[in-house]
């Protein structure tokens, strides 16, 4: 058994045949895409690329509402990370500033930030299909036109698809901490990643990271502080208070109730005097 919307043997259910929140799990023919009009399973063929990845794709059940959003909205608001150049003004239909968010979970915080700041476009990247569908659904229900959902590897998006100086911000909230020492090389916030991101961020762009894993927070602070293309916004060189534009999510609140410590890091992309940045 595998996830699908319909096959000739199992036609698409009528609107009243499922309930909100009900998982979609039906048989589909071999080779049939999971969502014919939705995100592709491997848009860049990235499994052929020999590189340590910071993400672990997860197969989870998709609710009927999420599946419906993927089918209806992907062609309009979705982007498969396939290595082709992206025209951000064309993607959003305007020339507003664009912030890249890497890893958005189920999208609740992303939708709240988009609603609070309609003049900023958010390009939200994840590989979790239920979360992609949920964020599309939230954007649709909230009338948000400044959210686009990207499916695939953010490294390929940054390296091959976005032009230099095209982003006004980068958000990385609660990335996988890869707590085991042998897995630390999989953590996203590394010098190589920051060097790549710097080429796509305009001078003055804000890099905002948050994590509830304190050893990872310390590593983020160390790596960002040492990188010549970024400067800490905090005069004391330490962590920042949670800014008002980052919503306190339900899951974060539960962690705080259990005594977890959440650290925010706010760094600016710097313009070096005497040389032209990328």
């Amino acid at each position: 058994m595998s996830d699908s919307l319909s096959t000739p043997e199992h036609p698409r259910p009528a609107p009243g045949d499922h309930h909100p929140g009900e998982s979609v799990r039906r048989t589909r023919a071999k080779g049939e895409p999971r969502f014919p009009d939705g995100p592709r399973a491997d848009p860049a063929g990235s499994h052929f690329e020999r590189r340590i990845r910071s993400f672990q794709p997860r197969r989870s059940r998709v609710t009927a509402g999420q599946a419906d959003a993927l089918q209806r909205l992907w062609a309009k608001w979705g982007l498969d990370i396939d290595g082709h150049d992206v025209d951000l003004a064309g993607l959003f239909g305007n020339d507003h500033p664009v912030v890249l968010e890497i890893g958005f979970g189920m999208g609740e915080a992303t939708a709240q930030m988009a609603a609070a700041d309609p003049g900023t476009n958010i390009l939200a990247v994840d590989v979790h299909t239920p979360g992609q569908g949920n964020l599309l659904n939230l954007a649709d229900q909230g009338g948000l036109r400044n959210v686009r959902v990207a499916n695939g590897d953010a490294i390929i998006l940054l390296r091959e698809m976005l032009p230099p100086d095209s982003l006004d911000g980068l958000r990385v909230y609660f990335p996988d901490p890869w707590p085991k020492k042998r897995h630390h090389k999989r953590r996203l916030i590394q010098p190589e990643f920051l060097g790549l991101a710097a080429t796509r961020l305009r001078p003055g762009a804000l890099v905002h990271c948050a994590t509830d894993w304190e050893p990872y927070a310390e590593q983020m602070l160390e790596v960002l502080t040492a990188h010549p293309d970024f400067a800490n916004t905090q005069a004391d060189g330490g962590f920042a208070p949670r800014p008002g534009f980052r919503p306190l999510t339900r899951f974060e609140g539960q962690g705080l109730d259990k005594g977890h410590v959440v650290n925010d890091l706010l760094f600016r992309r710097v313009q070096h005097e005497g040389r032209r940045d990328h």
Side-chain angles (χ1 to χ4, degrees):
M1 296 289 287
S2 56
D3 296 345
S4 179
L5 288 177
S6 63
T7 66
E9 295 80 12
H10 300 273
R12 182 190 297 273
D17 287 351
H18 61 251
H19 302 283
E22 176 187 344
S23 294
V24 175
R25 190 168 180 82
R26 300 181 181 87
T27 302
R28 69 176 183 270
K30 184 177 180 180
E32 181 185 352
R34 191 179 186 197
F35 302 102
D37 298 318
R40 289 156 56 190
D42 189 12
S46 54
H47 56 283
F48 293 114
E49 186 179 358
R50 293 183 178 275
R51 175 168 55 80
I52 296 172
R53 286 177 179 76
S54 62
F55 62 89
Q56 184 69 41
R58 308 189 305 278
R59 294 278 297 192
S60 303
R61 292 191 176 188
V62 178
T63 68
Q66 293 161 1
D68 176 68
L70 289 166
Q71 286 289 96
R72 289 188 300 108
L73 302 171
W74 188 259
K76 182 168 63 170
W77 291 340
L79 172 70
D80 278 309
I81 298 175
D82 57 8
H84 293 90
D85 292 346
V86 175
D87 173 14
L88 291 175
L91 181 66
F92 285 95
N94 57 58
D95 59 358
H96 295 168
V98 179
V99 171
L100 176 65
E101 182 177 359
I102 300 178
F104 55 80
M106 295 305 291
E108 293 96 340
T110 306
Q112 290 181 53
M113 290 185 289
D117 185 10
T120 296
N121 295 325
I122 301 177
L123 180 56
V125 182
D126 212 306
V127 295
H128 189 222
T129 309
Q132 293 168 352
N134 200 60
L135 179 52
L136 287 171
N137 207 18
L138 291 170
D140 187 36
Q141 292 175 353
L144 307 177
R145 299 297 179 261
N146 57 331
V147 175
R148 297 295 182 269
V149 179
N151 166 54
D153 190 340
I155 299 297
I156 294 175
L157 176 68
L158 285 164
R159 189 183 66 204
E160 301 178 20
M161 299 174 65
L162 295 178
D165 298 340
S166 56
L167 298 173
D168 286 84
L170 173 66
R171 296 168 180 167
V172 183
Y173 298 154
F174 305 99
D176 192 327
W178 296 102
K180 295 181 179 178
K181 187 174 181 179
R182 69 177 184 271
H183 290 155
H184 285 183
K185 59 189 176 183
R186 296 182 179 274
R187 290 175 172 175
L188 180 63
I189 305 302
Q190 306 274 7
E192 297 79 8
F193 169 77
L194 293 175
L196 172 61
T199 67
R200 303 303 183 247
L201 291 163
R202 293 191 179 100
L206 185 68
V207 174
H208 183 194
C209 303
T211 179
D212 61 351
W213 192 262
E214 290 186 83
Y216 194 9
E218 295 289 348
Q219 179 189 320
M220 288 180 179
L221 182 61
E222 179 181 350
V223 171
L224 278 161
T225 300
H227 202 286
D229 289 328
F230 299 98
N232 200 332
T233 63
Q234 303 304 298
D236 63 1
F239 298 112
R242 179 178 66 86
F245 65 80
R246 184 176 75 75
L248 182 67
T249 66
R250 176 169 55 89
F251 295 104
E252 182 181 355
Q254 291 172 349
L256 292 171
D257 290 342
K258 296 176 182 177
H260 297 181
V261 175
V262 175
N263 286 299
D264 285 75
L265 301 95
L266 293 170
F267 279 70
R268 290 281 180 191
R269 169 76 166 93
V270 298
Q271 174 107 43
H272 297 285
E273 294 184 11
R275 74 172 173 87
R276 182 178 178 179
D277 281 327
H278 313 278

